[in-house]
Amino acid sequence: MTTLTEPSGPAMTATAVRAPAGLPRLLPQVPGVPEDLRAHLARHGRPPYRGGRGLLIGSVEAAGLTGRGGAAFPTHRKLAIVAAARGRAVIVANAAESEPASRKDALLLRVAPHLVLDGIQLTAEALGATEAHLYLHPGTGHAIMRALAERHAAGADRLAVTVTEAPPRFLAGQESALVNRLGGGPAVPTFVPPRVTERGLGGAPTLVQNVETLAHIALIARYGPRWFRELGTAGEPGTMLTTVHQPDGQTQVIEAEIGTPLRTLVVGAAGPGAQAILVGGFHGTWLPVGAAATLTLDNQALKRHGATVGAGVIAALPADRCGLAEAARVTRYLAAESAGQCGPCLNGLPAIAGALAELAAPGPRRATRQNAERWAGLVTGRGACGHPDGTVRFVRSALTVFAPEITRHERGQCSATNRRPFLPLPDGMPTTEDDWT
Ligand SMILES: Cc1cc2nc3c(=O)[nH]c(=O)nc-3n(C[C@H](O)[C@H](O)[C@H](O)COP(=O)(O)O)c2cc1C
Ligand code: SF4
């Protein structure tokens, strides 16, 4: 674990700049070129501090911003709870990006670090927070440390930001696991209540917010809720960063307007390039290509198909791969990533992973599919965190979308012509308790 602390300095004052139109909002105007402090200030001006606790929250509510870390929870509600709490508050920017298929937070930190840091400072003011942390994926801290040094030299920040690397585990970014890790313990989830917003780091009310969410707050503070709502849908305003795995193996981070047709993001979503689309990452949902081609990137549209946008991971499985082999690999990984604290994870997920492995091999028994479904039902809604439910969502949708392939495997056949794994998984499976710290 790396922990680095940036000392605080005197604050800058705000300047007005013209609100940008269209896309991109978060990403730099020149794709891939990182914005240093000069470029950032030239584009967005200085952070508009409001001079008091709570004052930004009404704008965030009017903007209709929801969290971009996966659950799409209304951001203003969490802000209001922590701002109303007595005593000191803590803010944590979550860039653990523990989902192996996601790349968007690492990219955001690399190309627009100052937007994230402005979001931390402005939100800290709104909460009256006296402590700020940035918790990030291993190896992604270079640009942020450079940005913090630039801000220190310019006297830009009011509050010091402590940067800590997360362990490379799937659960490391779950908010109670994160609080445990920053408190010096292992990055494993704890049972709620209390929620971290009531009693989090060091017992203080703690706001855990995805870094992309904080970058949106930095823009809402400058340009206002009406501007924010110029893109997106009425129910789900704004843009979101998506990580798109194209069927040709290319991975792109795309800032997209919420409500964008999936077929404009994924090459071949409406054609022969892909056989199925995974929406929402490893806790997400497989969709048949035909359904995905009619859908848009928003929870209202996706929920009719049992899916959510999650943290914006979309993967188009090429036509030449075996969907069952992909589902089995990911389920084995997810089962191995459980913290092993609760019955559903300890017993249920390995059994489900075993059934998927059997279905992915030639000649599975006919009872295996029913067993996988039954065990998935037993796991649902239990456990201290969302890991079993997320895993089951992924498994159940795989069993449905790849049902014709199961029948083929039962006959000893497989339609795949390419055995190369498609969905990204970390090298090597974690094996020891030390991996949690
Ligand atoms: C298993 C699991 C892993 C998670 N990993 C992350 C993560 O890597 N990054 C993240 O921002 N949120 C992650 N979350 C969600 C966090 O618990 C939390 O809800 C989020 O950081 C809140 O930020 P938001 O409201 O801005 O989305 C995870 C949740 C679960 C259940
Ligand atoms: S449900 Fe699973 S992953 Fe979540 S805390 Fe319990 S054992 Fe750990």
Side-chain angles (χ1 to χ4, degrees), residues 67-70 78 94 96-99 170-171 173-175 208-210 213 283 386-387:
R68 303 299 198 243
K78 273 201 309 201
N94 191 354
E97 199 156 46
S98 47
E99 155 79 57
F170 190 78
L171 293 172
Q174 195 272 347
E175 62 184 14
V208 179
Q209 211 78 69
N210 177 258
T213 314
H283 274 178
H387 187 51

Side-chain angles (χ1 to χ4, degrees), residues 249-271:
Q250 284 202 46
T251 302
Q252 300 164 314
V253 174
I254 301 172
E255 182 175 358
E257 183 172 1
I258 299 183
T260 300
L262 291 183
R263 64 176 182 279
T264 65
L265 293 171
V266 184
V267 179

Side-chain angles (χ1 to χ4, degrees), residues 174-259:
Q174 195 272 347
E175 62 184 14
S176 64
L178 166 160
V179 164
N180 282 339
R181 183 67 213 110
L182 293 181
V188 294
T190 42
F191 288 82
V192 288
R195 304 204 82 89
V196 300
T197 44
E198 295 151 15
R199 186 138 47 90
L201 194 55
T206 301
L207 181 88
V208 179
Q209 211 78 69
N210 177 258
V211 278
E212 182 190 338
T213 314
L214 290 165
H216 285 295
I217 290 177
L219 294 179
I220 292 167
R222 287 175 163 96
Y223 308 124
R226 273 175 66 176
W227 167 85
F228 188 74
R229 286 179 170 278
E230 281 170 12
L231 297 180
T233 69
E236 295 166 68
T239 64
M240 70 179 291
L241 297 177
T242 59
T243 310
V244 184
H245 298 266
Q246 304 288 2
D248 64 2
Q250 284 202 46
T251 302
Q252 300 164 314
V253 174
I254 301 172
E255 182 175 358
E257 183 172 1
I258 299 183

Side-chain angles (χ1 to χ4, degrees), residues 149-161:
E150 280 184 290
R151 295 167 81 94
H152 180 56
D157 287 340
R158 299 179 164 197
L159 193 60
V161 177

Side-chain angles (χ1 to χ4, degrees), residues 5 18 23 38 70 87 106 136 144 188 207 209 229 245 255-256 280 326 400 420 423:
T5 302
R18 187 193 293 267
L23 284 165
R38 247 172 90 129
L136 44 73
I144 266 302
V188 294
L207 181 88
Q209 211 78 69
R229 286 179 170 278
H245 298 266
E255 182 175 358
E326 290 296 322
T400 304
R420 211 150 21 97
L423 294 170

Side-chain angles (χ1 to χ4, degrees), residues 62-79:
L65 177 66
T66 53
R68 303 299 198 243
F73 189 80
T75 304
H76 75 273
R77 280 170 48 193
K78 273 201 309 201
L79 293 176

